[in-house]
Structures are given as C-alpha cells and as structure tokens.
Amino acid sequence: MTGAKAAPRVAVIGGGPGGLYAAALLKRLDPTREITVWERNAPEDTFGFGVVLSDETLGGIEHADPVVYAAMQREFVRWDDIDIVHRGHRSTSGGHGFAALGRKRLLQILHERCRDLGVELRFRTEAPPAADLSRAYDLVIAADGVHSATRTAHAEAFGPHIEEHRCRYIWLAADFAFDAFRFEIAETGAGVMQLHGYPYSDSASTVIVEMREEVWQAAGFEGLDEHESVERCAKLFADALDGRPLRSNNSAWIRFRTVVNDRWSHGNTVLIGDAAHTAHFSIGSGTKLAVEDALALAACLQEQPTIERALHAYEEERRPVVTSTQRAARASLEWFEELKRYVDQPPRQFAFNLLTRSRRVTHDNLRLRDPEFTADVEREFGCPPDTPPMFTPYKIGALTLRNRVVVSPMDMYSAVDGVPGDFHLVHLGARALGGAGLVMTEMVCVSPEGRITPGCAGLWTPEQAAAWTRIAEFVHQQAPGTALGLQLGHSGRKGSTKLMWEGIDEPLDEGNWPLSAPSPLPYKANSQTPHELTRDGLTEIREQFAAAAWRAARCGFDLLELHCAHGYLLSSFLSPLTNHRTDAYGGPLENRLRYPLEVFDAVRAIWPADRPMTVRISATDWAEGGNGGDEAVEIARAFAAHGADAIDVSTGQVVAEEQPAYGRSYQTPYADRIRQETGLPVIAVGAISSWDDVNSLILAGRTDLCALARPHLYDPHWTLHAAAEQGYTGPGISWPLPYRAGSRRPQTGRTDAPKPRLTLG
C-alpha cells in the first residue's frame, strides 16, 4: 500500500475520547498500523462527569465501529424533556431526544476497544514533543485539549486565537438522576447564577454551576476551597437538588476559552478536538466535535492517496461544520453571560428564549417537537389563535402594522436627477403587494451633494416629491394595509461614488461633487477628502433635512426614518473613528450625539405628530476604538428621549477597515441588547432570511419587527409565501384580489416513489 492508507506509524497525543477513538478507527481500518497513544493521567482519571451525544454523532459511530457503538448503547441514559425553572415556575419542553453516559465509562469502552485492536496505550506518560514525534512517526494526532502543548509549541504554524469569556463555571455531580435536562436560575444578592444539569446514568447527574465573574467574586467564591465551593453550590440550588449534596472531582472554577486556529495541520501533525477548536458546553458539543473529528480524519486518511492531501481534506470537510457550531455556541454562551437581561421576561417566553438562544432550535423546531409548549408560549405572547408570531399586529407610535415584517431599505441606484421613476414604482409596489407590514424606501437624499451616487433618489425638488406621491398613492390604493416608510439621509464622506455594480464605494471618474463630513477624513485611501463642516454648513444641512421631511409628509408616507448608520453623514458624527472634532460636536459621546439630535429635532418638529419616526443606527463599528454595544445603548436612549418611536438596529459600514463577524442573524444581538436594556421598540436586521427566524426572534422577545432585504429581492412576495407555507390566512396578511388564486403553494412532482424492496448488506 502507498500514501495515507499505509501510514504505518501513528502517534496520538492525548487519551481523551477524540484521541482514543481516532486511534481505534485507524487501527481497525488498517491492522498493520503501529499506533501509540500517550496520556499523562492514569486510566481511571477523568475530569467532568457525563457526556451528551447527538443522534447524528451516534449514527456515525455505529457505521464506523459497531463494537464501540454497541458498548455505548448499553450504557446510554435517554430522555426527551428540558425543564427551565425560574422564579418558581417550571416550564417543560419535550421531544428533544438526548443520549448521555458517564465520561469515565466512555473512556473505559474506548480503552478496551483500543487494547482489543492492538493500540498501545501509555498512561501516566508525557508525550514527547510533537516535533520529535513527527520525525519518528508518519502521522501525529494532537488531541491534547484546550491547553494543547502541541498548538502552543507550533503557534506560528497553527495560528491560534484564544478568547477567554466572562463567566466562571464548575463541573460537579449529584448522586441521583434528573428526570430531564434542567436549567435553573437563582437570583441572589450577588447576582444571577444558573445551574445546568442532566443525567448520565440511572443514579447520577452532571451539574454545572455558572455565573458572571463579578457575581462569582461578589458571592465570595474566590476565597473558597473546592469543598467549600461545592457545599455553597448545593445550598444555592437546594430546590433543584431536593436538598441532596453535590460532589466534585478535582473541580475548579474556570472561565471558558474559545479556541480557533487558522490552520489545523502542520507537516504531518494534525489537531483534533479541543486542541483545534472549542465550543461552549451549553450546546453539549465538546466530545461530539472531537469524535466527529476522529471519524472525518480516519475517513480522509482512507480516501486520500497521501497524508498531506488527507489532512487538507479533513480540514476542508470539518471547518465549515465547526465554524457553524462555534457560531451557535457563541450565541448560547453570550446569552448566558447576559442572562440578567432576560430574567424579567414572562416565564414561558423566558423558557422559549433560553431554548432558542443558539438559533439552532427555532420556533418551527419546537412547534414540531412540542406543539403544546409552543402554543402556550404563543398564547402568553398574545398571538391570536392559529397565528404565527410574525403575523401578530404591532403598534409603532400611532401606526398599527398588520404584521412584523419590514422590507428593509435597499438602494436601487436607479433614479435620474434624484427623481424616482417607473422602476421605483414597480420595485416598491411589488413589495407592498407582497404582504409586508411596512415597506421602506431606499435612503432618500436631502440634497444633490447628499447623494451617494448619481443614481440615488432625493427629495429636494417638487418633481421628486410628485414622483414619490405617485408611489405612495399606488401603495395605499393597491396594497391597503401596507404602510410605506421613507428613509431620509445624507451621504457625507461616502458620496460622489459609482453605482454599486460599477464599483461600490469607488469615486466617480468624472463629475464629482464636493463632500462634507464632521472631519476631513476620506472613507478609503483613494476616496475624495471631505471638507469639515462649519456652523453655517451644519445649519444648512439641518434645514435640508427639515425641508425634505416637510415634502415627505405631503407625499403621504406613513413613517419616517432618520438614517444615522453605515458611515453616512449623521453616522460619521456618532463614531469616534470618523469624528475628530474638538468643538461642541466632537469628543465624548454626548458631544458626538449633538448634531444628529439637532437634525432629529428639526425633522420631528416638521413631521406630523401622529406619524412615527424611527432612527437607524450602526450599533457597532466592527473596528477597534469605534462604537460598540455600550455606545449603541446610549445612542438609542438619546434618540428615544427626543421622540424616536423605535430604533432600527444595523451595524458597521462606518470605516473601510471594519471586520464584521458575519453569520445568520448576526446583527440581532445588538437589537436584543438595546431592547432589553432600554425597553425601546427595535427593528432587527441583518441576515434574517427565513420566516422561521422571524417567528423565533419575535416570540423570544429579541426584537419587535424584523427587516429583510435580500430575501425580498429574491422574492417580492416573501411575506405572502411565508403565510402560505405556514397555512396562515388571517388578518395579518392580505392577498391582492388578482393574486388570490395563487395563495396556495403549487403542486410539484412526486417525491414518494416506491422504495427499494431489497437492501444488500
């Protein structure tokens, strides 16, 4: 044999589940391999108590090694329910399907399997350095955990990024079996604490106690030894434990560390499990990821002709899965870090919020798993019977929206001299006919110099006002029940650029107009440098906003939004990265807010009192030294104090060097924070793409409205189709009469073809 399949000598550093399982699989696939595992601890030593595995992971184990699977199967404790206990209320959600066993027993099973196959296990023995092993062995598997010495020794090659988080936690055990996966919240004088508990045998449960660092210190845990900590935890959660004690096993209070590596292999050395990546225990992923790594690595070594190609294929296969898991784990971790934000929610909503914290469990998942629980949450929330959360009405100011869906502002770059034409009529009209509760225009500019591109729409002339009036009349006549909102803004230093498809943020080749900003800082190195606004310039632009608002009111718009995000003029006053002024409009946040608030006040004074005003903000600049979540909360509070009816929470696009953390609904946590800490209505936006996401976010209380952009470009009738797919026909949606015949999903080809009658083993 040649290549990766031969790999006659394999060294494994670390005798945890990932390393042991990798050794067993590789030996089973090729009995001629010489495989040695180094583990510095004794075989009976283990840290932690129970291990939870998903059905997906178990299926992979079953197919790869039925012997290991059968041994594990005999030990499993299975349960379906999750209990959330908070302020004396116990909410139970069923249908979740967990399998767990003791970590010590899992290691014993893997030890036995390795010995039976002929793997050499060296306990109580430090592994030689990976660099030495890589010269003596064909393959080195570093499964040496979160504190991996291999990763540290070759940090330049692996490129590790390690982040320590804000909670302390301790792994303990109880000598009885919980009858469900249990989350219990304790509100103490020191702060909020939580218990995560689950059974791992008929007579034992894992218990994890977790709390913020400052709560841990205030509660006095810092000065306690292990025994004292265990006793204190048992007293704090005496109700959950029914007065029974807890026990430890070299348990210590630790802070979770997220590990990410730029690369997982270096020469013939490869990282697996926690050495390569970690994901917070609250989604039960550590052992799962390590075992799945071992499965994928073994398969790639079997399939690829060389070790180099096998290690590349392994990382290519696993990295997207791990990245997705880490994203979900971070969402879960941060939810528990910010637990105090949610403790005042109604009990069922709190439970739903906890269950959907990682965004992997959703409203639709729960509706299928436990329809009774989900119906109770919906009823407590105020959903009318048979009404998905997204189709519950919402009142913003004096305006009642028939549903919670917003067509987000999207620049079309298709106006001529600022005049919206037939394209805009069709574009906005189609989305209004598509069922959303609120349809927003693109950013409408207050002056020729306030445009982003020559194709941007405006509202500084009577001709532009007449064109917008035509669009508003169409929406109100042909799509009754749909509200139309205008977003008003000024490009600032990001103006005088090409149309998006000709070169986004690239300056015009000719025909440029002068730019203005709080400070003379170009957006990019090749961008035009704006002039710093004087007092006269500030007054002139403020009056341009007021004049545009006067026209907007007469056009018939139902809502006006002031654009203070994405690095445009008002946004650039808010960020310290773009506002370097030393006068009353620069410096501390109070000063940086001054001009945007002056503009808001001028617009609010003109805009009819019975029509709502919202403000879009960038809740983080995604750049060091810029605004972040703390500033976003204060900015939101300031606008609300001046009369804003809701905050539209976007992020970024303030500086070109930003580094956003993209992902599904990645901006929603900022809206959630503003809503929880200020009580203000919020609009969430950013990679919200499914009606299930919309239902989940609204029912969990993380937002009041959801704004979607690209999904409405893909499907102008996204909201109508969301109703059809959920079987909803109530007042939260209205099919235009000419479209009513299409209100049921069209039939498709057969998918129920006869199944094969024979399966060959």
Side-chain angles (χ1 to χ4, degrees):
M1 297 199 310
T2 61
K5 293 181 184 178
R9 304 194 74 218
V10 179
V12 180
I13 305 172
L20 291 168
Y21 193 50
L25 286 175
L26 291 174
K27 188 69 171 176
R28 180 171 183 265
L29 288 168
D30 183 356
T32 68
R33 285 186 173 121
E34 178 189 324
I35 301 178
T36 305
V37 178
W38 280 265
E39 170 53 54
R40 63 183 180 182
N41 294 306
E44 64 275 8
D45 289 344
T46 184
F47 305 97
F49 298 93
V51 173
V52 179
L53 295 172
S54 68
D55 288 341
E56 180 184 21
T57 304
L58 295 173
I61 293 172
E62 182 179 15
H63 285 93
D65 194 334
V67 174
V68 169
Y69 177 79
M72 292 171 64
Q73 180 83 345
R74 290 190 291 271
E75 306 287 338
F76 282 142
V77 173
R78 292 186 177 272
W79 73 100
D80 290 325
D81 289 350
I82 297 176
D83 286 345
I84 296 100
V85 182
H86 176 45
R87 293 183 176 174
H89 188 279
R90 177 170 172 168
S91 297
T92 299
S93 173
H96 295 277
F98 296 98
L101 75 164
R103 181 178 174 86
K104 183 175 288 189
R105 182 62 188 126
L106 173 60
L107 291 175
Q108 290 171 349
I109 290 169
L110 293 172
H111 292 162
E112 292 165 8
R113 184 58 171 156
C114 283
R115 291 191 183 97
D116 290 346
L117 290 167
V119 173
E120 182 181 356
L121 302 177
R122 298 185 182 180
F123 293 106
R124 302 183 181 89
T125 306
E126 287 283 351
D132 295 346
L133 291 172
S134 67
R135 289 188 289 269
Y137 287 80
D138 300 285
L139 175 66
V140 179
I141 300 173
D144 48 349
V146 64
H147 301 291
S148 170
T150 305
R151 185 186 65 227
T152 301
H154 301 281
E156 188 174 330
F158 293 118
H161 305 274
I162 300 172
E163 180 183 1
E164 194 169 65
H165 297 281
R166 293 180 288 177
C167 280
R168 292 267 184 178
Y169 67 97
I170 187 168
W171 288 88
L172 304 169
D175 291 325
F176 72 95
F178 283 120
D179 56 5
F181 202 126
R182 187 180 181 104
F183 294 99
E184 180 139 348
I185 313 304
E187 295 176 82
T188 73
V192 182
M193 307 174 186
Q194 60 262 19
L195 174 147
H196 311 237
Y198 59 86
Y200 65 85
S201 76
D202 291 336
S203 58
S205 298
T206 289
V207 174
I208 304 167
V209 177
E210 183 183 28
M211 65 198 72
R212 286 279 289 253
E213 172 78 18
E214 63 269 25
V215 176
W216 179 77
Q217 291 178 358
F221 281 106
E222 190 172 14
L224 302 182
D225 61 23
E226 180 181 358
H227 176 72
E228 292 169 331
S229 282
V230 173
E231 286 195 338
R232 175 77 63 84
C233 288
K235 290 178 182 177
L236 284 166
F237 293 98
D239 288 346
L241 301 170
D242 198 20
R244 287 170 285 200
L246 291 167
R247 58 183 168 86
S248 64
N249 177 19
N250 294 316
S251 302
W253 290 100
I254 54 179
R255 294 169 67 177
F256 188 81
R257 306 171 94 207
T258 294
V259 174
V260 175
N261 284 281
D262 293 336
R263 292 162 297 280
W264 294 356
S265 63
H266 166 50
N268 64 346
T269 300
V270 62
L271 305 177
I272 70 170
D274 284 353
H277 45 70
T278 60
H280 193 249
F281 59 81
S282 61
I283 65 169
S285 56
T287 301
K288 173 184 183 297
L289 287 176
V291 168
E292 289 175 350
D293 282 354
L295 283 163
L297 178 61
C300 291
L301 287 163
Q302 191 74 1
E303 295 161 358
Q304 299 297 326
T306 67
I307 288 176
E308 181 182 9
R309 288 179 60 176
L311 299 188
H312 175 77
Y314 154 71
E315 183 170 345
E316 192 173 58
E317 175 184 334
R318 290 292 295 155
R319 187 175 284 277
V321 177
V322 168
T323 299
S324 175
T325 302
Q326 288 188 310
R327 190 180 299 124
R330 175 175 284 273
S332 178
L333 175 156
E334 290 176 349
W335 194 92
F336 282 111
E337 284 185 337
E338 304 299 343
L339 181 60
K340 65 181 180 180
R341 291 180 187 165
Y342 307 110
V343 293
D344 291 327
Q345 286 188 315
R348 291 186 179 87
Q349 185 179 56
F350 177 85
F352 180 87
N353 198 352
L354 187 153
L355 292 170
T356 59
R357 67 195 181 278
S358 73
R359 301 191 284 275
R360 287 197 157 184
V361 175
T362 65
H363 171 264
D364 203 40
N365 295 150
L366 286 173
R367 189 175 58 82
L368 293 172
R369 296 179 188 194
D370 192 338
E372 184 176 345
F373 167 80
T374 308
D376 286 343
V377 180
E378 291 172 345
R379 190 161 43 250
E380 183 181 76
F381 179 77
C383 296
D386 301 317
T387 300
M390 66 185 292
F391 292 114
T392 56
Y394 186 74
K395 191 171 184 180
I396 180 169
L399 175 67
T400 298
L401 302 177
R402 66 184 176 193
N403 62 53
R404 307 297 186 100
V405 179
V406 179
V407 176
S408 196
M410 294 175 279
D411 287 320
M412 293 290 106
Y413 309 107
S414 299
V416 177
D417 295 327
V419 178
D422 288 347
F423 178 88
H424 294 82
L425 176 68
V426 173
H427 167 69
L428 292 169
R431 275 115 197 118
L433 292 170
L438 173 63
V439 175
M440 294 297 301
T441 70
E442 61 195 87
M443 185 178 90
V444 175
C445 306
V446 298
S447 69
E449 297 78 22
R451 292 173 296 164
I452 308 166
T453 75
C456 288
L459 194 47
W460 65 84
T461 71
E463 292 78 16
Q464 294 161 354
W468 284 118
T469 300
R470 176 186 177 220
I471 292 169
E473 288 176 347
F474 177 89
V475 170
H476 292 142
Q477 291 170 10
Q478 300 300 325
T482 298
L484 183 64
L486 176 92
Q487 187 185 71
L488 205 58
H490 186 295
S491 62
R493 70 178 189 149
K494 294 179 74 175
S496 195
T497 61
K498 296 178 180 179
L499 304 182
M500 180 179 66
W501 45 87
E502 294 176 352
I504 190 167
D505 294 326
E506 290 298 313
L508 293 169
D509 295 328
E510 56 183 17
N512 289 282
W513 54 85
L515 304 181
S516 55
S519 302
L521 304 170
Y523 180 63
K524 298 197 304 184
N526 65 333
S527 297
Q528 184 184 159
T529 299
H531 74 269
E532 182 173 313
L533 281 164
T534 64
R535 178 65 263 181
D536 288 345
L538 294 171
T539 301
E540 180 183 8
I541 291 174
R542 186 190 68 206
E543 295 309 312
Q544 289 170 347
F545 271 96
W550 180 85
R551 293 188 180 94
R554 281 146 187 79
C555 291
F557 287 100
D558 303 294
L559 175 148
L560 187 145
E561 178 167 282
L562 191 64
H563 200 337
C564 297
H566 300 167
Y568 299 123
L569 181 66
L570 299 181
S571 169
S572 62
F573 269 90
L574 294 172
S575 173
L577 299 178
T578 51
N579 183 346
H580 293 180
R581 298 175 76 101
T582 57
D583 62 4
Y585 295 101
L589 181 58
E590 180 184 5
N591 286 5
R592 303 198 307 272
L593 269 161
R594 193 181 307 277
Y595 185 64
L597 289 173
E598 287 180 3
V599 172
F600 181 91
D601 290 343
V603 171
R604 181 70 270 186
I606 294 291
W607 186 246
D610 62 343
R611 300 189 214 176
M613 264 190 75
T614 64
V615 178
R616 174 168 278 202
I617 67 170
S618 284
T620 176
D621 294 343
W622 297 117
E624 187 175 352
N627 285 335
D630 291 344
E631 290 79 11
V633 169
E634 294 310 309
I635 290 168
R637 284 196 173 112
F639 279 112
H642 283 246
D645 294 288
I647 307 298
D648 187 355
V649 187
S650 187
T651 65
Q653 302 178 54
V654 175
V655 292
E657 61 271 23
E658 68 175 2
Q659 294 185 311
Y662 291 119
R664 178 168 150 236
S665 58
Y666 70 104
Q667 296 177 151
T668 299
Y670 294 94
D672 185 9
R673 178 176 179 182
I674 289 171
R675 188 179 191 276
Q676 306 307 330
E677 293 191 16
T678 69
L680 296 172
V682 297
I683 304 169
V685 63
I688 302 170
S689 56
S690 73
W691 50 258
D692 193 19
D693 285 340
V694 175
N695 283 328
S696 301
L697 293 170
I698 289 167
L699 193 58
R702 295 176 200 153
T703 187
D704 299 288
L705 300 167
C706 286
L708 299 92
R710 287 179 178 86
H712 282 114
L713 292 179
Y714 181 77
D715 179 5
H717 302 116
W718 186 89
T719 311
L720 292 177
H721 294 154
E725 289 167 12
Q726 296 176 81
Y728 174 71
T729 58
I733 200 73
S734 178
W735 282 80
L737 292 176
Y739 290 177
R740 191 161 291 176
S743 62
R744 288 184 296 180
R745 177 182 267 182
Q747 293 183 352
T748 58
R750 284 186 63 183
T751 58
D752 58 343
K755 300 293 187 291
R757 295 183 63 194
L758 293 176
T759 300
L760 300 179

